Amino acid sequence: MNHRMKSVVLGSALLLGATTASAATASDESPRQREAAALTGTAKLYRSAGDDITFSFDARLAAKDNADPMKATGTFEWSHYLNGEGARAKAKVDCLVTGGKVAVVSGVITDSDLPGAEGKRVGITVHDVGRRDRLGYSWAATGSPVDTKELPKCVASAPFEKVRKGTGDFTVVPWRPDF
């Protein structure tokens, strides 16, 4: 066998050995259990007037809590500015329900520079459609989270807003409850 052929055979043997060892190691480890549901990501909304609106999510429902979406954890935040005026807010997740590529998350505002917003529950809906996700929020009809009265957990509006192309993406992990 010439030198080149020996190199090919030796390389193939090493590759086969590494693949076999990797497969053995992977089968010895317990597989990482996926979350029961999740909503993650950051993106800006599209507004023709030039508003700077950003939403960020890190909401998760652990696999062990699959039967109770009100055990979801995490935070979400948003800001809305136009011509240097606006506000921002951060909320602690208190519910997360997803179905297919749609998520509804709610939470109580824990930090905001919008007077009267802290302590208010808000809800947001996201439709994860790839590069042009959509989003809706519970205060769409009232105009402000401050004006929302006693919102129940996991309630929001239809995802009527569009994400501005190239500004980010949201990812929804679908919930699969045991029925």
Side-chain angles (χ1 to χ4, degrees):
M1 216 183 321
N2 69 25
H3 180 69
R4 178 177 237 151
M5 183 62 96
K6 286 180 187 177
S7 294
V8 169
V9 171
L10 179 59
S12 297
L14 289 173
L15 183 59
L16 180 60
T19 303
T20 304
S22 175
T25 303
S27 66
D28 292 343
E29 296 174 5
S30 62
R32 182 173 180 250
Q33 194 171 24
R34 96 170 180 81
E35 296 165 310
L39 170 59
T40 58
T42 298
K44 291 181 177 289
L45 298 187
Y46 170 77
R47 286 283 179 88
S48 60
D51 302 43
D52 183 7
I53 307 170
T54 303
F55 281 84
S56 295
F57 301 94
D58 186 13
R60 300 167 191 278
L61 179 64
K64 68 180 179 58
D65 296 323
N66 190 49
D68 189 356
M70 289 189 256
K71 289 188 176 179
T73 60
T75 59
F76 57 94
E77 54 191 287
W78 68 97
S79 61
H80 183 167
Y81 295 97
L82 178 62
N83 300 324
E85 293 185 26
R88 55 146 195 87
K90 183 174 186 175
K92 182 179 179 201
V93 171
D94 63 11
C95 187
L96 173 65
V97 176
T98 64
K101 291 294 190 174
V102 176
V104 178
V105 63
S106 64
V108 175
I109 298 173
T110 58
D111 184 36
S112 180
D113 56 5
L114 179 64
E118 288 185 31
K120 294 284 191 172
R121 176 174 289 115
V122 294
I124 301 173
T125 303
V126 169
H127 187 189
D128 176 8
V129 292
R131 294 184 175 140
R132 292 303 294 248
D133 294 342
R134 299 181 72 90
L135 184 139
Y137 35 85
S138 58
W139 61 94
T142 63
S144 169
V146 174
D147 298 326
T148 303
K149 307 288 185 223
E150 303 301 315
L151 185 73
K153 292 180 180 180
C154 270
V155 172
S157 74
F160 62 95
E161 298 261 19
K162 293 179 183 176
V163 166
R164 188 180 335 149
K165 187 176 180 178
T167 65
D169 191 26
F170 303 125
T171 301
V172 173
V173 174
W175 183 39
R176 297 181 188 138
D178 296 327
F179 291 124

